[in-house]
Amino acid sequence: MNSSAPAPAKANDFIRDIINSDLEAKRHQKVITRFPPEPNGFLHIGHAKSICLNFGLALDYREKLPNSGTRCHLRFDDTDPVKEDTLFEEGIQEDVRWLGFNWDGLYHASDYFEKMFEYAEHLISAGKAYVCSLTDAQIKEFRGNVTTPGKASPFRERSIEENLDLFRRMRNGEFKDGEHVLRAKIDMSNPNMKMRDPLLYRIRHTAHHMTGDKWCIYPMYDYAHPISDAIEGITHSICTLEFENNRELYDWVVDNLIDYAKFPSRPHQYEFARLNLNYTVMSKRRLLELVEGKHVDGWDDPRLPTIAGLRRRGYTPESIRNFCAGVGVAKANSTVDMAQLEFCIRDDLNHKAPRVMAVLKPLKLVIENFPDDEVQEQEASYWPHDVPKEGSRKVPFCKELYIEQDDFMLDPPKDFYRLGPGKEVRLRYSYCVTCTDVVKDADGNVIEIRCTYDPETLGANPVGRKVKGTIHWVSARHAVDAELRLYDRLLSEEAPPAGKDSEFLNAINKNALQVLKGCKLEPSLANAKASERFQFERQGYFIVDSKDSKPGALVFNRIVTLKDSYARAQQKK
RNA sequence: UCCGAGAUCGUCUAAAGGUAGGACACAACGCUUUGAACGUUGCGAUGUUGGUUCGAUUCCAGCUCUCGGAGCCA
């Protein structure tokens, strides 16, 4: 073993196992991967798993194989002009970059259309492909089904000359959509239906967002993908499980072209299980239905698991990368618990988001023994003791405050550590107060709390008694009003009802968005900038909405609540 | 039914013939001017039947169950 041999990568998933053994066996000297989205929609967190895998592989092995040419391409799989658009390409690039990855080369399958055409002619000349003039219904019928072998197309034995002529005339636009297709000549009785003379090209008189009107025939995925991989020198072509049956065709295409085309690599396809998450939907179709049916407010609606949605919701790229690393890569279908994602964002924001105070549902509190006009500035740290960061601000304190409605109960149980008649609590960063009276409206609702404060308790524990609870507050005279959008899980059920088209809409969580207006923020938040994140103490992590928030009319999105063991215990009762 | 793939704690995932480990979730306790965070402890799994072996989650065979496959989508 020569001493410059690469140290084997730390194997922590089956893909890396494969790559390590390829490297050891010297089948490759470098690793080239690609992320190949079709530009026909927006990326979601399932794509993030693939992005982290493919780009992560390049990053890992570049470290182990310096100067080897190890890299990861971004390639748009743009073979169906009917559905694809430049707009989607821009969104996808933004999302990949936001996630923190840079591609080594931006490619399009359409870059290779000319080569693909030439290779198709080669296949025809080799007797491996033919022009079929059956209708789509006939092709379907001739294909048979999973238990019944298909039958040969009557056009299967056309001469090479006629096939070449027809194929070139297809390209020249002499036929209408659907009149002919180019098919691989493989085996109509193959138990793998993908091998029953699969279509290679179809006629589509449709402009393409990259090639314009140059083409009116377009290659199919199963033909274009292996060729694109081979041309780019991809070594490990990683895709999801539903392509397992396509692998045999992938290999057929590469094997039948490799001697002729002199590809720089002989790529191999490997399949891993796509990400599923409970309490949400991940399929393109369902996402599209939510957006087009106006069940949500666009592709970046913070309830959606799209990258754009998660970004607007306030998720950080790090949290998503950590999540992807945490769920791992394997071949078994699985559904990850949403709690895992929520853990990742809390874990990241815990040391990134400064603490501030905000009252979501205000209840007036008046301190009877505090001077009417006095305003004290209380020093409040932005960070808790266990976050090693410095910084604080002054929070104004006066006779009239707002506290959270949920922090007061008229007749509290004994494990309620907050405020009630006669009870004492700590006001965060400030004094302890004791409730002496309540004011009710005509309907008997509590509209104001009267308290006295203990001047000895600023920065000191009260003597002779233990005060267990601490609540947040905001000075009523200094509060800044804001709109808070409380987001929760998209679905109220773990898994949407399977099957039936739109049935999943019934599982939508009606409380996935709750809009609160007139929330009271501490004044330091008045100048919060778009996309700034905070922890509102005892409530959750929030971000200034990037679209709707304006100075003087602040809008915050709740990213995730804090864990609340008290609320959880109450629920169980 | 045919072909392909898979099956390990509630969930996700390691171990690749040699003590079934980690993370999330959950529970208890500790700490606490956030009922947060953090810390400690606990709970908890190799689908099934055989075979090979000193030893099997791992290798072999059968069975069971799950997922994918019959677009001129990807």
Side-chain angles (χ1 to χ4, degrees), chain A residues 79 83 145 147 199 202 204 327 355 415 417-418 428 535 538 572:
Chain A
T79 57
K83 297 188 296 186
N145 61 41
T147 48
L199 276 61
R202 76 287 219 192
R204 280 241 206 291
V327 302
R355 272 61 170 177
D415 66 348
Y417 304 147
R418 285 105 100 152
R428 182 80 162 143
Q535 184 197 101
R538 303 207 307 134
K572 274 199 285 188

Short mmCIF file of all heavy atoms in Angstrom, two decimals, chain A residues 79 83 145 147 199 202 204 327 355 415 417-418 428 535 538 572, chain B residues 1-2 5 12-13 26-27 33-37 67 70 72-74:
data_model
loop_
_atom_site.label_atom_id
_atom_site.label_comp_id
_atom_site.label_asym_id
_atom_site.label_seq_id
_atom_site.Cartn_x
_atom_site.Cartn_y
_atom_site.Cartn_z
N THR A 79 -35.71 18.16 -19.30
CA THR A 79 -36.03 17.43 -20.52
C THR A 79 -37.50 17.50 -20.89
O THR A 79 -37.91 16.91 -21.89
CB THR A 79 -35.63 15.94 -20.37
OG1 THR A 79 -36.32 15.39 -19.23
CG2 THR A 79 -34.14 15.80 -20.18
N LYS A 83 -43.27 21.65 -18.60
CA LYS A 83 -43.44 21.96 -17.18
C LYS A 83 -42.36 22.86 -16.59
O LYS A 83 -42.48 23.31 -15.46
CB LYS A 83 -43.45 20.65 -16.38
CG LYS A 83 -44.61 19.74 -16.72
CD LYS A 83 -44.69 18.55 -15.78
CE LYS A 83 -43.47 17.67 -15.89
NZ LYS A 83 -43.58 16.45 -15.08
N ASN A 145 -48.60 -5.83 -18.69
CA ASN A 145 -48.58 -5.33 -17.32
C ASN A 145 -47.61 -6.15 -16.49
O ASN A 145 -46.88 -6.98 -17.01
CB ASN A 145 -49.99 -5.32 -16.72
CG ASN A 145 -50.60 -6.71 -16.67
OD1 ASN A 145 -49.90 -7.67 -16.34
ND2 ASN A 145 -51.86 -6.81 -17.01
N THR A 147 -47.74 -8.62 -14.69
CA THR A 147 -47.78 -10.09 -14.73
C THR A 147 -47.83 -10.65 -16.14
O THR A 147 -47.56 -11.82 -16.35
CB THR A 147 -49.02 -10.61 -13.95
OG1 THR A 147 -50.17 -9.88 -14.35
CG2 THR A 147 -48.80 -10.48 -12.46
N LEU A 199 -39.36 4.30 -24.10
CA LEU A 199 -39.27 5.47 -24.99
C LEU A 199 -38.00 6.25 -24.68
O LEU A 199 -37.65 6.45 -23.51
CB LEU A 199 -40.49 6.37 -24.79
CG LEU A 199 -41.74 5.98 -25.59
CD1 LEU A 199 -42.24 4.61 -25.21
CD2 LEU A 199 -42.83 7.03 -25.41
N ARG A 202 -39.57 11.77 -27.49
CA ARG A 202 -40.92 12.06 -27.92
C ARG A 202 -40.92 13.40 -28.62
O ARG A 202 -40.03 14.24 -28.42
CB ARG A 202 -41.91 12.01 -26.76
CG ARG A 202 -41.92 13.17 -25.79
CD ARG A 202 -40.75 13.24 -24.87
NE ARG A 202 -41.15 13.65 -23.52
CZ ARG A 202 -40.29 14.01 -22.58
NH1 ARG A 202 -38.98 14.02 -22.83
NH2 ARG A 202 -40.70 14.35 -21.39
N ARG A 204 -42.33 17.03 -29.16
CA ARG A 204 -43.04 18.08 -28.41
C ARG A 204 -42.76 19.41 -29.11
O ARG A 204 -41.67 19.95 -28.98
CB ARG A 204 -42.49 18.18 -26.99
CG ARG A 204 -42.98 17.14 -26.02
CD ARG A 204 -43.71 17.86 -24.87
NE ARG A 204 -43.71 17.11 -23.63
CZ ARG A 204 -44.38 16.00 -23.43
NH1 ARG A 204 -45.04 15.44 -24.41
NH2 ARG A 204 -44.36 15.40 -22.26
N VAL A 327 -30.76 12.56 10.62
CA VAL A 327 -31.64 11.50 10.14
C VAL A 327 -30.89 10.43 9.36
O VAL A 327 -31.38 9.32 9.21
CB VAL A 327 -32.82 12.03 9.29
CG1 VAL A 327 -33.64 13.04 10.08
CG2 VAL A 327 -32.33 12.63 8.00
N ARG A 355 -32.39 36.99 24.04
CA ARG A 355 -33.65 36.92 24.79
C ARG A 355 -34.24 38.30 24.97
O ARG A 355 -33.51 39.24 25.34
CB ARG A 355 -33.39 36.31 26.16
CG ARG A 355 -33.47 34.81 26.24
CD ARG A 355 -32.49 34.12 25.36
NE ARG A 355 -32.44 32.67 25.62
CZ ARG A 355 -31.71 31.82 24.94
NH1 ARG A 355 -30.94 32.24 23.94
NH2 ARG A 355 -31.72 30.55 25.24
N ASP A 415 -49.92 23.63 41.87
CA ASP A 415 -48.69 23.54 41.09
C ASP A 415 -48.58 24.67 40.07
O ASP A 415 -47.74 24.65 39.19
CB ASP A 415 -48.59 22.17 40.40
CG ASP A 415 -49.66 21.98 39.34
OD1 ASP A 415 -50.62 22.80 39.31
OD2 ASP A 415 -49.55 21.04 38.54
N TYR A 417 -47.28 28.05 39.39
CA TYR A 417 -46.28 28.89 40.06
C TYR A 417 -46.40 30.36 39.71
O TYR A 417 -45.53 31.16 40.02
CB TYR A 417 -44.87 28.44 39.67
CG TYR A 417 -44.57 26.99 39.94
CD1 TYR A 417 -43.71 26.29 39.10
CD2 TYR A 417 -45.11 26.35 41.05
CE1 TYR A 417 -43.42 24.96 39.35
CE2 TYR A 417 -44.82 25.02 41.30
CZ TYR A 417 -43.98 24.33 40.45
OH TYR A 417 -43.69 23.03 40.70
N ARG A 418 -47.44 30.71 38.98
CA ARG A 418 -47.54 32.09 38.52
C ARG A 418 -48.42 32.93 39.45
O ARG A 418 -48.39 32.74 40.66
CB ARG A 418 -48.06 32.10 37.08
CG ARG A 418 -47.00 31.67 36.07
CD ARG A 418 -47.17 30.27 35.48
NE ARG A 418 -47.77 30.31 34.18
CZ ARG A 418 -47.61 29.42 33.22
NH1 ARG A 418 -46.80 28.35 33.41
NH2 ARG A 418 -48.22 29.54 32.09
N ARG A 428 -39.51 39.00 35.80
CA ARG A 428 -38.20 38.72 35.22
C ARG A 428 -37.33 39.99 35.20
O ARG A 428 -37.79 41.05 34.73
CB ARG A 428 -38.41 38.19 33.80
CG ARG A 428 -37.14 37.80 33.05
CD ARG A 428 -36.64 36.45 33.46
NE ARG A 428 -35.72 35.95 32.46
CZ ARG A 428 -34.64 35.25 32.75
NH1 ARG A 428 -34.35 34.93 34.00
NH2 ARG A 428 -33.85 34.80 31.78
N GLN A 535 -35.48 35.21 20.96
CA GLN A 535 -36.34 34.38 21.79
C GLN A 535 -37.20 35.30 22.63
O GLN A 535 -36.66 36.14 23.36
CB GLN A 535 -35.52 33.47 22.72
CG GLN A 535 -36.43 32.52 23.51
CD GLN A 535 -35.79 31.88 24.72
OE1 GLN A 535 -36.00 32.32 25.85
NE2 GLN A 535 -34.97 30.87 24.48
N ARG A 538 -39.91 32.59 27.59
CA ARG A 538 -41.01 31.71 28.01
C ARG A 538 -42.04 31.46 26.92
O ARG A 538 -43.05 30.80 27.16
CB ARG A 538 -41.70 32.26 29.28
CG ARG A 538 -40.73 32.44 30.44
CD ARG A 538 -41.44 32.32 31.77
NE ARG A 538 -42.57 33.20 31.81
CZ ARG A 538 -43.78 32.86 32.24
NH1 ARG A 538 -44.01 31.66 32.69
NH2 ARG A 538 -44.74 33.73 32.23
N LYS A 572 -52.09 16.36 29.89
CA LYS A 572 -52.28 14.95 30.22
C LYS A 572 -53.36 14.74 31.28
O LYS A 572 -53.89 13.66 31.43
CB LYS A 572 -50.96 14.34 30.70
CG LYS A 572 -50.11 13.86 29.53
CD LYS A 572 -49.06 12.88 29.96
CE LYS A 572 -47.92 13.57 30.67
NZ LYS A 572 -46.81 12.65 30.94
P U B 1 -49.66 -13.02 -4.66
OP1 U B 1 -51.07 -12.81 -5.00
OP2 U B 1 -49.15 -13.40 -3.39
"O5'" U B 1 -48.90 -13.86 -5.80
"C5'" U B 1 -49.54 -14.83 -6.59
"C4'" U B 1 -49.40 -14.48 -8.06
"O4'" U B 1 -50.31 -13.38 -8.37
"C3'" U B 1 -48.04 -13.93 -8.48
"O3'" U B 1 -47.12 -14.99 -8.76
"C2'" U B 1 -48.36 -13.11 -9.71
"O2'" U B 1 -48.43 -13.92 -10.86
"C1'" U B 1 -49.75 -12.56 -9.39
N1 U B 1 -49.74 -11.17 -8.92
C2 U B 1 -49.80 -10.18 -9.88
O2 U B 1 -49.85 -10.41 -11.06
N3 U B 1 -49.79 -8.90 -9.40
C4 U B 1 -49.72 -8.51 -8.07
O4 U B 1 -49.72 -7.31 -7.80
C5 U B 1 -49.66 -9.59 -7.14
C6 U B 1 -49.67 -10.86 -7.58
P C B 2 -45.58 -14.81 -8.30
OP1 C B 2 -44.97 -16.16 -8.39
OP2 C B 2 -45.54 -14.05 -7.03
"O5'" C B 2 -44.94 -13.90 -9.43
"C5'" C B 2 -44.68 -14.46 -10.73
"C4'" C B 2 -44.08 -13.39 -11.61
"O4'" C B 2 -45.05 -12.32 -11.80
"C3'" C B 2 -42.87 -12.67 -11.03
"O3'" C B 2 -41.67 -13.41 -11.24
"C2'" C B 2 -42.88 -11.35 -11.80
"O2'" C B 2 -42.38 -11.52 -13.10
"C1'" C B 2 -44.38 -11.07 -11.87
N1 C B 2 -44.86 -10.22 -10.76
C2 C B 2 -44.64 -8.84 -10.83
O2 C B 2 -44.05 -8.38 -11.81
N3 C B 2 -45.08 -8.05 -9.83
C4 C B 2 -45.71 -8.58 -8.78
N4 C B 2 -46.13 -7.76 -7.81
C5 C B 2 -45.94 -9.98 -8.67
C6 C B 2 -45.49 -10.76 -9.67
P A B 5 -32.92 -6.43 -5.90
OP1 A B 5 -31.47 -6.22 -6.06
OP2 A B 5 -33.47 -7.77 -5.62
"O5'" A B 5 -33.49 -5.44 -4.79
"C5'" A B 5 -32.97 -4.13 -4.67
"C4'" A B 5 -33.79 -3.33 -3.70
"O4'" A B 5 -35.20 -3.45 -4.01
"C3'" A B 5 -33.72 -3.75 -2.24
"O3'" A B 5 -32.54 -3.34 -1.61
"C2'" A B 5 -34.96 -3.05 -1.69
"O2'" A B 5 -34.72 -1.67 -1.54
"C1'" A B 5 -35.96 -3.27 -2.83
N9 A B 5 -36.78 -4.46 -2.58
C8 A B 5 -36.70 -5.71 -3.13
N7 A B 5 -37.60 -6.55 -2.69
C5 A B 5 -38.33 -5.80 -1.77
C6 A B 5 -39.43 -6.11 -0.94
N6 A B 5 -40.02 -7.30 -0.91
N1 A B 5 -39.92 -5.13 -0.15
C2 A B 5 -39.33 -3.93 -0.18
N3 A B 5 -38.29 -3.51 -0.92
C4 A B 5 -37.84 -4.51 -1.70
P C B 12 -38.92 5.23 11.61
OP1 C B 12 -39.45 5.28 10.23
OP2 C B 12 -38.72 3.93 12.28
"O5'" C B 12 -37.52 6.01 11.63
"C5'" C B 12 -37.38 7.23 10.92
"C4'" C B 12 -36.02 7.82 11.16
"O4'" C B 12 -35.86 8.14 12.58
"C3'" C B 12 -34.83 6.91 10.89
"O3'" C B 12 -34.53 6.78 9.52
"C2'" C B 12 -33.74 7.64 11.67
"O2'" C B 12 -33.35 8.81 10.99
"C1'" C B 12 -34.48 8.03 12.94
N1 C B 12 -34.33 6.97 13.96
C2 C B 12 -33.15 6.97 14.72
O2 C B 12 -32.31 7.86 14.52
N3 C B 12 -32.97 6.01 15.65
C4 C B 12 -33.90 5.07 15.83
N4 C B 12 -33.67 4.13 16.75
C5 C B 12 -35.11 5.04 15.06
C6 C B 12 -35.28 6.01 14.14
P U B 13 -33.77 5.44 8.99
OP1 U B 13 -33.49 5.66 7.56
OP2 U B 13 -34.52 4.26 9.42
"O5'" U B 13 -32.40 5.43 9.80
"C5'" U B 13 -31.36 6.34 9.49
"C4'" U B 13 -30.27 6.25 10.53
"O4'" U B 13 -30.85 6.19 11.85
"C3'" U B 13 -29.39 5.02 10.46
"O3'" U B 13 -28.38 5.17 9.47
"C2'" U B 13 -28.80 4.98 11.87
"O2'" U B 13 -27.76 5.91 12.01
"C1'" U B 13 -29.99 5.46 12.73
N1 U B 13 -30.75 4.36 13.35
C2 U B 13 -30.22 3.84 14.50
O2 U B 13 -29.19 4.24 15.00
N3 U B 13 -30.95 2.82 15.07
C4 U B 13 -32.13 2.29 14.60
O4 U B 13 -32.66 1.38 15.22
C5 U B 13 -32.60 2.88 13.38
C6 U B 13 -31.91 3.87 12.82
P C B 26 -41.29 14.89 24.71
OP1 C B 26 -42.47 15.77 24.73
OP2 C B 26 -39.98 15.41 25.13
"O5'" C B 26 -41.58 13.59 25.59
"C5'" C B 26 -42.75 12.81 25.33
"C4'" C B 26 -42.70 11.54 26.15
"O4'" C B 26 -41.60 10.70 25.69
"C3'" C B 26 -42.39 11.73 27.62
"O3'" C B 26 -43.54 12.12 28.35
"C2'" C B 26 -41.90 10.34 28.02
"O2'" C B 26 -42.96 9.44 28.16
"C1'" C B 26 -41.08 9.96 26.78
N1 C B 26 -39.65 10.29 26.96
C2 C B 26 -38.85 9.37 27.66
O2 C B 26 -39.37 8.34 28.10
N3 C B 26 -37.54 9.64 27.85
C4 C B 26 -37.02 10.78 27.37
N4 C B 26 -35.73 11.00 27.58
C5 C B 26 -37.82 11.73 26.65
C6 C B 26 -39.12 11.45 26.47
P A B 27 -43.36 13.13 29.59
OP1 A B 27 -44.73 13.54 29.98
OP2 A B 27 -42.34 14.15 29.27
"O5'" A B 27 -42.76 12.17 30.71
"C5'" A B 27 -43.52 11.05 31.19
"C4'" A B 27 -42.71 10.29 32.19
"O4'" A B 27 -41.58 9.66 31.53
"C3'" A B 27 -42.06 11.12 33.29
"O3'" A B 27 -42.97 11.41 34.33
"C2'" A B 27 -40.94 10.20 33.75
"O2'" A B 27 -41.43 9.16 34.58
"C1'" A B 27 -40.49 9.58 32.43
N9 A B 27 -39.35 10.28 31.83
C8 A B 27 -39.32 11.21 30.82
N7 A B 27 -38.12 11.64 30.51
C5 A B 27 -37.29 10.95 31.39
C6 A B 27 -35.89 10.96 31.57
N6 A B 27 -35.06 11.70 30.86
N1 A B 27 -35.39 10.15 32.54
C2 A B 27 -36.22 9.40 33.27
N3 A B 27 -37.56 9.31 33.18
C4 A B 27 -38.03 10.12 32.21
P U B 33 -32.44 31.27 40.68
OP1 U B 33 -31.27 31.93 41.28
OP2 U B 33 -33.26 30.32 41.44
"O5'" U B 33 -33.38 32.43 40.09
"C5'" U B 33 -34.74 32.16 39.84
"C4'" U B 33 -35.19 32.96 38.65
"O4'" U B 33 -35.43 34.33 39.06
"C3'" U B 33 -34.19 33.00 37.51
"O3'" U B 33 -34.90 32.91 36.28
"C2'" U B 33 -33.59 34.41 37.61
"O2'" U B 33 -33.19 34.96 36.37
"C1'" U B 33 -34.80 35.19 38.14
N1 U B 33 -34.46 36.44 38.83
C2 U B 33 -34.82 37.62 38.19
O2 U B 33 -35.39 37.63 37.14
N3 U B 33 -34.48 38.76 38.85
C4 U B 33 -33.85 38.84 40.06
O4 U B 33 -33.62 39.94 40.54
C5 U B 33 -33.49 37.58 40.67
C6 U B 33 -33.81 36.44 40.04
P U B 34 -34.83 31.50 35.46
OP1 U B 34 -35.58 30.51 36.22
OP2 U B 34 -33.45 31.20 35.04
"O5'" U B 34 -35.66 31.88 34.17
"C5'" U B 34 -36.87 32.64 34.29
"C4'" U B 34 -37.84 32.19 33.23
"O4'" U B 34 -37.29 32.57 31.93
"C3'" U B 34 -38.05 30.69 33.18
"O3'" U B 34 -39.39 30.45 32.75
"C2'" U B 34 -37.10 30.24 32.08
"O2'" U B 34 -37.52 29.07 31.44
"C1'" U B 34 -37.19 31.42 31.12
N1 U B 34 -35.99 31.54 30.29
C2 U B 34 -36.18 31.58 28.91
O2 U B 34 -37.28 31.56 28.38
N3 U B 34 -35.02 31.67 28.18
C4 U B 34 -33.75 31.71 28.68
O4 U B 34 -32.80 31.79 27.90
C5 U B 34 -33.64 31.64 30.11
C6 U B 34 -34.74 31.56 30.84
P G B 35 -40.37 29.65 33.71
OP1 G B 35 -41.67 30.05 33.18
OP2 G B 35 -40.03 29.86 35.13
"O5'" G B 35 -40.14 28.12 33.36
"C5'" G B 35 -39.24 27.30 34.09
"C4'" G B 35 -39.75 25.88 34.02
"O4'" G B 35 -40.95 25.79 34.82
"C3'" G B 35 -40.13 25.44 32.61
"O3'" G B 35 -39.94 24.04 32.52
"C2'" G B 35 -41.62 25.74 32.56
"O2'" G B 35 -42.34 24.92 31.68
"C1'" G B 35 -42.05 25.41 34.00
N9 G B 35 -43.22 26.14 34.45
C8 G B 35 -43.73 27.31 34.02
N7 G B 35 -44.81 27.68 34.66
C5 G B 35 -45.01 26.67 35.58
C6 G B 35 -46.02 26.49 36.55
O6 G B 35 -46.97 27.23 36.81
N1 G B 35 -45.87 25.32 37.26
C2 G B 35 -44.84 24.42 37.07
N2 G B 35 -44.84 23.34 37.84
N3 G B 35 -43.88 24.56 36.16
C4 G B 35 -44.04 25.71 35.46
P A B 36 -38.62 23.40 31.91
OP1 A B 36 -39.04 22.11 31.31
OP2 A B 36 -37.62 23.45 32.97
"O5'" A B 36 -38.12 24.37 30.74
"C5'" A B 36 -38.83 24.47 29.52
"C4'" A B 36 -38.01 25.29 28.55
"O4'" A B 36 -37.73 26.59 29.14
"C3'" A B 36 -36.64 24.73 28.23
"O3'" A B 36 -36.71 23.76 27.20
"C2'" A B 36 -35.87 25.97 27.80
"O2'" A B 36 -36.22 26.34 26.49
"C1'" A B 36 -36.43 27.02 28.77
N9 A B 36 -35.60 27.11 29.98
C8 A B 36 -35.90 26.69 31.25
N7 A B 36 -34.93 26.90 32.12
C5 A B 36 -33.93 27.51 31.37
C6 A B 36 -32.64 27.97 31.69
N6 A B 36 -32.11 27.91 32.92
N1 A B 36 -31.90 28.51 30.71
C2 A B 36 -32.41 28.57 29.48
N3 A B 36 -33.62 28.16 29.05
C4 A B 36 -34.32 27.64 30.04
P A B 37 -35.68 22.56 27.15
OP1 A B 37 -35.83 21.90 25.84
OP2 A B 37 -35.84 21.78 28.39
"O5'" A B 37 -34.26 23.27 27.22
"C5'" A B 37 -33.70 23.89 26.07
"C4'" A B 37 -32.37 24.50 26.43
"O4'" A B 37 -32.57 25.47 27.50
"C3'" A B 37 -31.34 23.53 27.00
"O3'" A B 37 -30.65 22.85 25.98
"C2'" A B 37 -30.45 24.46 27.80
"O2'" A B 37 -29.56 25.17 26.96
"C1'" A B 37 -31.48 25.42 28.40
N9 A B 37 -31.95 24.96 29.70
C8 A B 37 -33.17 24.41 30.01
N7 A B 37 -33.31 24.09 31.28
C5 A B 37 -32.10 24.45 31.84
C6 A B 37 -31.60 24.37 33.16
N6 A B 37 -32.30 23.88 34.19
N1 A B 37 -30.35 24.81 33.39
C2 A B 37 -29.65 25.30 32.36
N3 A B 37 -30.01 25.44 31.07
C4 A B 37 -31.25 24.99 30.89
P C B 67 -47.44 -0.80 1.97
OP1 C B 67 -48.36 0.32 2.24
OP2 C B 67 -47.91 -2.01 1.25
"O5'" C B 67 -46.17 -0.24 1.19
"C5'" C B 67 -45.50 0.92 1.66
"C4'" C B 67 -44.22 1.13 0.87
"O4'" C B 67 -43.34 -0.02 1.07
"C3'" C B 67 -44.38 1.18 -0.63
"O3'" C B 67 -44.83 2.44 -1.08
"C2'" C B 67 -42.97 0.86 -1.10
"O2'" C B 67 -42.11 1.97 -0.93
"C1'" C B 67 -42.56 -0.22 -0.10
N1 C B 67 -42.81 -1.58 -0.62
C2 C B 67 -41.88 -2.12 -1.51
O2 C B 67 -40.91 -1.43 -1.84
N3 C B 67 -42.07 -3.36 -2.00
C4 C B 67 -43.14 -4.07 -1.63
N4 C B 67 -43.29 -5.29 -2.13
C5 C B 67 -44.11 -3.54 -0.73
C6 C B 67 -43.91 -2.31 -0.24
P A B 70 -45.27 2.77 -13.24
OP1 A B 70 -44.95 4.01 -13.95
OP2 A B 70 -46.20 2.80 -12.08
"O5'" A B 70 -45.84 1.72 -14.28
"C5'" A B 70 -45.20 1.53 -15.54
"C4'" A B 70 -46.08 0.73 -16.44
"O4'" A B 70 -46.25 -0.59 -15.87
"C3'" A B 70 -47.51 1.24 -16.58
"O3'" A B 70 -47.57 2.22 -17.60
"C2'" A B 70 -48.28 -0.01 -16.95
"O2'" A B 70 -48.12 -0.33 -18.32
"C1'" A B 70 -47.56 -1.06 -16.10
N9 A B 70 -48.19 -1.29 -14.80
C8 A B 70 -47.85 -0.73 -13.60
N7 A B 70 -48.60 -1.13 -12.59
C5 A B 70 -49.50 -2.00 -13.18
C6 A B 70 -50.56 -2.76 -12.65
N6 A B 70 -50.90 -2.76 -11.36
N1 A B 70 -51.26 -3.52 -13.50
C2 A B 70 -50.92 -3.53 -14.81
N3 A B 70 -49.94 -2.86 -15.42
C4 A B 70 -49.26 -2.11 -14.54
P C B 72 -45.77 6.41 -21.78
OP1 C B 72 -47.03 5.99 -22.39
OP2 C B 72 -44.70 5.42 -21.48
"O5'" C B 72 -45.16 7.58 -22.68
"C5'" C B 72 -43.92 8.15 -22.33
"C4'" C B 72 -43.77 9.50 -22.99
"O4'" C B 72 -43.93 9.33 -24.42
"C3'" C B 72 -44.81 10.50 -22.55
"O3'" C B 72 -44.19 11.78 -22.56
"C2'" C B 72 -45.84 10.46 -23.69
"O2'" C B 72 -46.53 11.69 -23.87
"C1'" C B 72 -44.91 10.22 -24.88
N1 C B 72 -45.59 9.61 -26.02
C2 C B 72 -45.81 10.40 -27.16
O2 C B 72 -45.40 11.57 -27.14
N3 C B 72 -46.42 9.87 -28.23
C4 C B 72 -46.83 8.60 -28.20
N4 C B 72 -47.44 8.13 -29.28
C5 C B 72 -46.64 7.79 -27.05
C6 C B 72 -46.02 8.33 -25.98
P C B 73 -44.47 12.77 -21.33
OP1 C B 73 -45.89 13.14 -21.36
OP2 C B 73 -43.42 13.81 -21.42
"O5'" C B 73 -44.19 11.89 -20.03
"C5'" C B 73 -42.93 11.90 -19.44
"C4'" C B 73 -42.93 12.86 -18.27
"O4'" C B 73 -43.86 12.41 -17.27
"C3'" C B 73 -41.62 12.96 -17.53
"O3'" C B 73 -40.74 13.83 -18.20
"C2'" C B 73 -42.08 13.51 -16.19
"O2'" C B 73 -42.35 14.90 -16.29
"C1'" C B 73 -43.40 12.77 -16.00
N1 C B 73 -43.25 11.54 -15.20
C2 C B 73 -43.20 11.66 -13.80
O2 C B 73 -43.27 12.79 -13.30
N3 C B 73 -43.08 10.55 -13.04
C4 C B 73 -43.00 9.35 -13.63
N4 C B 73 -42.89 8.29 -12.85
C5 C B 73 -43.03 9.20 -15.05
C6 C B 73 -43.15 10.31 -15.79
P A B 74 -39.21 13.44 -18.35
OP1 A B 74 -38.61 14.46 -19.23
OP2 A B 74 -39.11 12.00 -18.70
"O5'" A B 74 -38.64 13.61 -16.88
"C5'" A B 74 -38.67 14.88 -16.22
"C4'" A B 74 -38.41 14.66 -14.75
"O4'" A B 74 -39.46 13.84 -14.21
"C3'" A B 74 -37.13 13.90 -14.44
"O3'" A B 74 -35.99 14.74 -14.41
"C2'" A B 74 -37.45 13.29 -13.07
"O2'" A B 74 -37.31 14.26 -12.06
"C1'" A B 74 -38.93 12.95 -13.23
N9 A B 74 -39.13 11.57 -13.67
C8 A B 74 -39.11 11.08 -14.95
N7 A B 74 -39.31 9.78 -15.03
C5 A B 74 -39.48 9.39 -13.71
C6 A B 74 -39.72 8.14 -13.12
N6 A B 74 -39.85 7.01 -13.81
N1 A B 74 -39.83 8.09 -11.77
C2 A B 74 -39.70 9.23 -11.08
N3 A B 74 -39.47 10.46 -11.52
C4 A B 74 -39.37 10.48 -12.87
#
